[in-house]
Amino acid sequence: MTAELVRGQNHPLPDTRLEIRVSAGHPVVAGATLGDEEGRVAGVEWIAHPGSPSLPGVEVSQQAAADHRLAVDLDAVPAAVHRLSVLLALPVGVGGPTRFGAAAAPFVAVTGLDGAPVATYTITGLDRESAVVALELYRRQGAWKVRAMGQGYEGGLAAMLGDQGLQRPAELATTILDAVSRGLARSVSAPPPRVPETERVRHAAPTAPEPVTAAAEPPTTSTPTAPTTSTPTAPTLPGTPPPAPAAGGGGPIDYAHPRRRAKAPEPPRQAPPVPVAGDAGGWSMDERLYNQVWGMFEDLARTTAAYRSACEFAESRLDKELDGVLSDPRSRIGGAGDAARAAARAKHDELTARAQEALDRDLDQLVAESDVVEPALPAAYARWDNPVWHAYRVPMEAPMAVRLGDLHLPERTELRIPMLVRLPLERGLWVDMGREHSEAAGLLDEAELRRLAMDTAVAHAARLLAVYPPGEFTVHVIDPAGTAAPALAPLVGAGVLAGPPAAGAAGVQDVLGRLTERVDLVQMALRAGAPDALPPGLDTAEQLLIVHDFPHGFDDRAVTRLRYLADEGPAVGVHLMMVADRADASAYGPVLDPLWRSLLRITPVPDDHLADPWVGHAWTYEPPLAPSGSRVLSDVLARVAESRRQWGS
């Protein structure tokens, strides 16, 4: 069955030897880039374009044409390549459209060497863009998948190449367009069949396949047409049959309608690859696991976006067909109208069922991967109930990231993706103990919510202390009224704080003054190019300031210093964690708005306030609290304190 993709959806590839067919209805330039696991293109030598059409594993056309066939052999690409992007751009000086919105939507199909389509994608929603990344073939757990991208660029070919990470993209864009204007047209051959080693010895010169030219493209009537609205098509609609053989291609011509031909039996679906922990790119296992976790996050975001888009398309199609029935007086009532409405609802149910099937398949694979990855995570990435904490040892170097909680979507709430944040922290944290912006928080008693907020802050501080080497992370606490004493007991009892929690206005000024002075001294040393000229006795470790019950105990001078630490501190190793209700500081008005915006808001209860940068899903965040009754927090802090005593820090 052919998968009709929507933007962001992915689909497994059954083979590594493929053709990518482009049908635009007007001349376009086709190219391809080879990227690493981050999508970066190392240089111009990793780009196939009309001026340099061949790369290991991919070959493109040397001309601008309405139809293209790109030959792809994924087994032949270099081992460092993890992504192959298919690029389309409008040529200049040929009298055609200057933006994709002024022409028919391009259609892209990934097919086998026999022409049988695997996945198709109609690139809708383009307007002023003159270049677009159409598809991305990427390596995931040793298998290849295709993802519908549809990422357009108003800046044209140069902007698209620059976004691929290339230096001097404008020069390369000029080179490509010059090659197109010179008309270096030639046919592109499909990948030759692989010959076994014994056959290569036996036959000195195997016969190469006949080249495939643009003239052999199937007529445009055999490809699916774009929908009449800008609503994306469903991801798993029935696909079009393989195109009829071209004249002169051998064999009789089949004049039957493409949708009435006998369909070849579908090949058996390959079993999904077995998940393996740490199969992403990276120099160390921690880096590979970090990249794998965020790859899972991206896959969950995109497959959910595809499902929701398919459901929206099914709903809009149902509404349109029902409106059509009601607008015709002859079918408004009676048996004909009932039959038309039933048929429309049946189509809707079929589309949503297929979208649900594709979603369930992808989510099952992600659940299986999560079940393998979660037990393999190191302490910095692991939940508090992970057995890795029972064998915890204080590390000798800081990790690249730390876990701040879990993220999930309503489509599969039991599938939780670790929320990993790079170290050192680039933003401060705000544990929101307010009740106004969270439905779950509004159901709790105010005292209980404040207790949970401080427990969350202590859990974060304990994790940060545990993942840094001895003496390289220091925690300060401001608790003006002393109301957080029960929650702070694990930190105070273990002796891992820089000093007793500061209380009263004098304590607030003392801690803020010392940390502000530290920021000033480090900034001056860095600006002077003398980072080793810091005063003796200055604590060079990363600093974390936990502020509880703000703004109690703060005057205007203290508020100004706090804002200064939030803005300037992270760059020189001073980080802020606010445990506060924004409503308590409403008397300051908009003066504190920059402070709240500079902090990453997290909650002590599950709340769907975080959005991803790709499709804007509302992700539910869950705080990383230790299991009820567990001693893991106190045991870890005891080992941290013992390690500090041994190292004299």
Side-chain angles (χ1 to χ4, degrees):
M1 179 184 297
T2 305
E4 294 192 6
L5 306 179
V6 298
R7 180 175 298 172
Q9 186 184 6
N10 57 55
H11 186 75
L13 294 174
D15 198 1
T16 56
R17 296 167 54 74
L18 308 160
E19 282 187 352
I20 299 176
R21 304 186 179 190
V22 179
S23 179
H26 52 85
V28 295
V29 179
T33 60
L34 303 179
D36 59 16
E37 59 269 19
E38 300 296 333
R40 293 187 297 267
V41 179
V44 295
E45 65 276 6
W46 280 26
I47 303 177
H49 57 83
S52 178
S54 298
L55 288 179
V58 61
E59 189 173 1
V60 303
S61 173
Q62 288 183 321
Q63 64 179 341
D67 301 301
H68 291 272
R69 290 189 181 183
L70 284 66
V72 176
D73 185 354
L74 297 175
D75 286 338
V77 301
V81 172
H82 288 259
R83 301 190 186 188
L84 188 155
S85 300
V86 178
L87 316 179
L88 302 178
L90 294 174
V92 296
V94 298
T98 58
R99 60 186 182 91
F100 279 108
F107 174 79
V108 187
V110 180
T111 73
L113 297 184
D114 58 354
V118 176
T120 62
Y121 175 41
T122 302
I123 310 174
T124 59
L126 299 178
D127 186 10
R128 294 180 294 180
E129 297 87 346
S130 58
V132 62
V133 179
L135 296 175
E136 179 183 78
L137 279 60
Y138 65 101
R139 200 195 308 260
R140 187 87 169 115
Q141 296 180 353
W144 286 88
K145 293 184 178 182
V146 59
R147 176 182 291 132
M149 298 295 290
Q151 176 63 55
Y153 295 86
E154 294 184 22
L157 185 58
M160 180 168 60
L161 294 174
D163 197 40
Q164 297 276 322
L166 292 167
Q167 302 294 328
R168 298 189 295 275
E171 297 179 10
L172 179 58
T174 301
T175 301
I176 295 174
L177 295 177
D178 287 346
V180 173
S181 64
R182 290 195 300 268
L184 301 177
R186 74 174 184 85
S187 61
V188 178
S189 300
R194 294 186 180 272
V195 181
E197 190 66 32
T198 56
E199 293 295 325
R200 272 182 258 170
V201 174
R202 189 179 306 150
H203 304 288
T207 304
E210 184 177 347
V212 182
T213 65
E217 279 286 280
T220 56
T221 55
S222 66
T223 61
T225 58
T228 57
T229 67
S230 61
T231 306
T233 55
T236 53
L237 295 176
T240 56
I253 298 176
D254 186 358
Y255 292 98
H257 190 278
R259 295 190 181 276
R260 295 182 181 176
R261 296 180 190 145
K263 295 184 179 180
E266 296 182 5
R269 178 176 295 175
Q270 294 182 347
V274 177
V276 177
D279 72 339
W283 291 100
S284 64
M285 177 57 75
D286 285 4
E287 185 177 0
R288 292 196 293 271
L289 287 169
Y290 173 85
N291 292 331
Q292 185 173 11
V293 165
W294 281 109
M296 294 164 57
F297 177 87
E298 181 181 348
D299 282 351
L300 179 56
R302 294 188 184 278
T303 193
T304 304
Y307 168 74
R308 294 179 181 179
S309 178
C311 292
E312 290 174 2
F313 169 75
E315 292 290 342
S316 64
R317 177 173 175 174
L318 175 63
D319 293 341
K320 182 178 180 180
E321 293 184 354
L322 292 179
D323 289 343
V325 173
L326 294 175
S327 63
D328 188 354
R330 296 171 297 178
S331 60
R332 190 173 301 164
I333 58 176
D338 293 340
R341 285 188 286 270
R345 292 190 177 93
K347 293 178 183 178
H348 168 271
D349 295 343
E350 180 185 7
L351 291 177
T352 55
R354 292 188 176 183
Q356 184 68 52
E357 179 184 358
L359 175 70
D360 291 341
R361 181 186 66 242
D362 292 342
L363 293 185
D364 289 343
Q365 180 67 14
L366 284 172
V367 169
E369 185 174 4
S370 177
D371 292 342
V372 172
V373 170
E374 189 69 46
L377 295 177
Y381 304 169
R383 290 196 296 255
W384 286 112
D385 59 356
N386 193 309
V388 71
W389 289 107
H390 298 302
Y392 167 75
R393 294 293 182 270
V394 177
M396 290 297 103
E397 61 180 14
M400 66 180 300
V402 68
R403 186 173 189 156
L404 291 185
D406 292 339
L407 300 171
H408 67 82
L409 291 173
E411 278 76 8
R412 188 72 68 88
T413 56
E414 67 272 19
L415 175 57
R416 286 167 167 76
I417 306 297
M419 179 180 172
L420 302 182
V421 178
R422 293 295 294 265
L423 291 179
L425 298 173
E426 297 179 356
R427 300 173 61 187
L429 302 176
W430 168 28
V431 183
D432 187 2
M433 59 183 184
R435 305 175 63 189
E436 298 180 359
H437 305 291
S438 172
E439 182 179 352
L443 300 176
L444 294 176
D445 176 75
E446 181 177 355
E448 176 67 13
L449 183 61
R450 289 176 176 268
R451 183 191 65 80
L452 287 174
M454 200 59 204
D455 287 345
T456 302
V458 169
H460 287 309
R463 181 181 292 268
L464 289 168
L465 285 166
V467 301
Y468 273 91
E472 293 191 12
F473 196 83
T474 304
V475 178
H476 310 264
V477 176
I478 290 179
D479 184 22
T483 55
L488 292 171
L491 298 176
V492 175
V496 293
L497 295 180
V508 171
Q509 293 290 355
D510 178 62
V511 173
L512 292 177
R514 286 188 283 110
L515 290 178
T516 302
E517 181 183 10
R518 183 191 184 279
V519 171
D520 291 338
L521 291 173
V522 175
Q523 283 185 339
M524 286 189 293
L526 293 177
R527 289 168 184 166
D532 296 333
L534 293 170
L538 182 71
D539 186 3
T540 58
E542 297 283 318
Q543 309 286 313
L544 174 68
L545 173 60
I546 302 176
V547 179
H548 178 248
D549 208 14
F550 176 81
H552 183 75
F554 282 73
D555 56 15
D556 291 345
R557 183 184 182 190
V559 169
T560 301
R561 284 179 166 178
L562 189 69
R563 290 185 55 189
Y564 177 75
L565 292 178
D567 294 338
E568 304 294 334
V572 291
V574 177
H575 312 284
L576 187 62
M577 184 187 298
M578 299 281 291
V579 186
D581 181 359
R582 186 172 182 175
D584 293 342
S586 59
Y588 288 93
V591 174
L592 291 181
D593 286 350
L595 171 65
W596 304 116
R597 286 196 297 266
S598 68
L599 304 174
L600 174 61
R601 176 176 174 257
I602 54 181
T603 54
V605 292
D607 187 63
D608 58 348
H609 65 281
L610 294 176
D612 65 74
W614 298 291
V615 290
H617 291 322
W619 292 79
T620 297
Y621 167 82
E622 290 194 10
L625 296 176
S628 178
S630 172
R631 292 184 49 84
V632 60
L633 210 63
S634 57
D635 291 345
V636 168
L637 290 175
R639 295 178 187 176
V640 170
E642 177 63 25
S643 176
R644 288 188 169 192
R645 286 191 292 270
Q646 292 177 356
W647 288 84
S649 57

